[in-house]
Amino acid sequence: MQVDLHNSWSIGPVAIPSRLVLAPMAGVSVQAFRRQGRRYGAGLVCSEMVSCAGLHHKNERTLGYLRIASDEHPLAVQIFGAEPTVMAEAARMVEAAGADLVDINFGCPVRKVTKTGAGATLLEDPDRACRIVSAVAKAVDVPVSVKMRRGLENGSRACLDVGPRLVDAGAATLTLHPRSAKQMYTGEADHALTAEFVDRVDVPVIASGDITSRAKAQSVLATTRAVAVMVGRAAQGNPWVLREIMGDESEPTQEEVVAELILFMRETVRELGEHRATGFLKKFYSWYLGRGRFPRPFKQELVELKTFEEVEERLLAAAPGARFVLARLEEELPQGDEVRLDLPISIYGGG
Ligand SMILES: Cc1cc2nc3c(=O)[nH]c(=O)nc-3n(C[C@H](O)[C@H](O)[C@H](O)COP(=O)(O)O)c2cc1C
């Protein structure tokens, strides 16, 4: 049975127009990524994880994460931390910034985060995890969601016990990435566990992990009865996978690829500033131009160029028709009301 990914669903009062969710990814999920994801069919997009301590201390870089554009909605902003009161305060800031959902990170496996008692560690400390969810849910009017892994150790089934408790504490939806924290990104996401998880909780579940094609999305939705699938790595430099998952299998032309990359570069430079964008964007060159789309030496050439103007020139020389696609894309972008808050431009590479 095919699931229609164009069906809308809701988290409390928040309507989500498709069954496809763009994953939060630290160092990737900038505004340009999220806006692009919405254009290509994601019904919900997420910020990368934001430190509640950073928000508490009004850290300039962390506050930069609360910039939300008018065409990103519905959008979840994800926070991480271990102190219920500080998480509640962060959630209020996220709500005030205009996010539609506050998402809580109980999945980050990175030591820098877990050693503070945050992220995936909380799967082994369910009392504290519930206190956090409860404090956050009481602090805001928008729905609260939680994104989690299966547990800390390989084979752990901790999520099956913790999940229902988080719902009792106030989580309106749960996302499961069924790998252990120890696995990081190795092995396979165990969606048989996702199916058990869906049976245990009475809120919508989003399935995350290894969704790389329409066929995989369909099979995970059918076998787990999750309400939606989340796509992460497959969408890096590749919004066309979202289009494919939604049912349009057409491969992008070289012109489309170059136009989307240049638009992404321009938006990211506006968001992060030229200096920070330089390092940030390098990985995107190979993500966009890889997959057999352009020869390998071409990507290397771009990385070695000094300025964004030179990179753009070189890209447009390789696909001259891209300038027309780019002009159309820029024309279609909503104008004005781009940034809801007058905040410093920054990025925190946490996690
Ligand atoms: C570079 C990178 C950064 C990530 N950052 C976050 C994050 O900030 N918050 C989070 O909940 N998950 C984060 N994740 C996990 C993804 O959201 C997703 O659950 C995981 O990558 C599995 O999905 P995939 O196979 O589609 O990539 C990150 C993953 C990657 C690869």
Side-chain angles (χ1 to χ4, degrees), residues 13-192:
V14 181
I16 315 287
S18 79
R19 308 261 166 180
L20 182 59
V21 179
L22 190 64
M25 285 185 285
V28 176
S29 299
V30 287
Q31 266 188 326
F33 185 74
R34 305 186 312 238
R35 300 173 85 186
Q36 183 187 61
R38 291 285 289 119
R39 279 192 287 122
Y40 277 85
L44 175 66
V45 296
C46 306
S47 78
E48 65 179 85
M49 51 191 245
V50 181
S51 157
C52 73
L55 290 177
H56 174 74
H57 292 296
K58 309 277 185 295
N59 177 295
E60 179 209 316
R61 283 191 179 197
T62 317
L63 286 172
Y65 284 121
L66 301 188
R67 299 159 68 93
I68 296 173
S70 60
D71 55 342
E72 292 185 58
H73 299 286
L75 164 89
V77 170
Q78 188 186 71
I79 53 176
F80 72 95
E83 285 305 324
T85 50
V86 186
M87 287 288 273
E89 181 196 358
R92 276 190 291 270
M93 293 171 79
V94 164
E95 181 180 45
D100 303 284
L101 298 164
V102 177
D103 188 60
I104 301 177
N105 180 313
F106 289 164
C108 183
V110 175
R111 175 129 180 85
K112 182 168 91 180
V113 170
T114 54
K115 75 176 182 206
T116 66
T121 314
L122 286 155
L123 298 171
E124 301 277 330
D125 191 353
D127 291 340
R128 179 179 285 270
C130 290
R131 285 203 304 279
I132 290 173
V133 171
S134 167
V136 167
K138 283 195 188 107
V140 293
D141 290 329
V142 294
V144 173
S145 55
V146 173
K147 182 163 178 291
M148 58 203 283
R149 288 201 175 220
R150 66 184 296 158
L152 289 185
E153 298 301 324
N154 292 348
S156 167
R157 294 164 63 81
C159 62
L160 297 180
D161 294 325
V162 182
R165 293 187 59 187
L166 299 178
V167 173
D168 290 343
T173 190
L174 300 172
T175 301
L176 180 67
H177 175 203
R179 281 188 172 88
S180 68
K182 200 170 191 176
Q183 266 183 293
M184 303 292 283
Y185 297 96
T186 62
E188 268 178 44
D190 175 7
H191 285 298

Side-chain angles (χ1 to χ4, degrees), residues 220-252:
V220 168
L221 285 170
T223 56
T224 64
R225 282 173 295 112
V227 70
V229 282
M230 176 179 272
V231 178
R233 289 165 294 171
Q236 293 171 336
N238 190 26
W240 300 281
V241 76
L242 304 177
R243 189 166 80 178
E244 192 261 337
I245 290 172
M246 293 303 289
D248 174 352
E249 289 182 10
S250 49
E251 283 292 320

Side-chain angles (χ1 to χ4, degrees), residues 247-264:
D248 174 352
E249 289 182 10
S250 49
E251 283 292 320
T253 61
Q254 287 201 328
E255 284 71 26
E256 265 184 283
V257 172
V258 163
E260 282 292 352
L261 172 55
I262 294 179
L263 180 66
F264 190 83

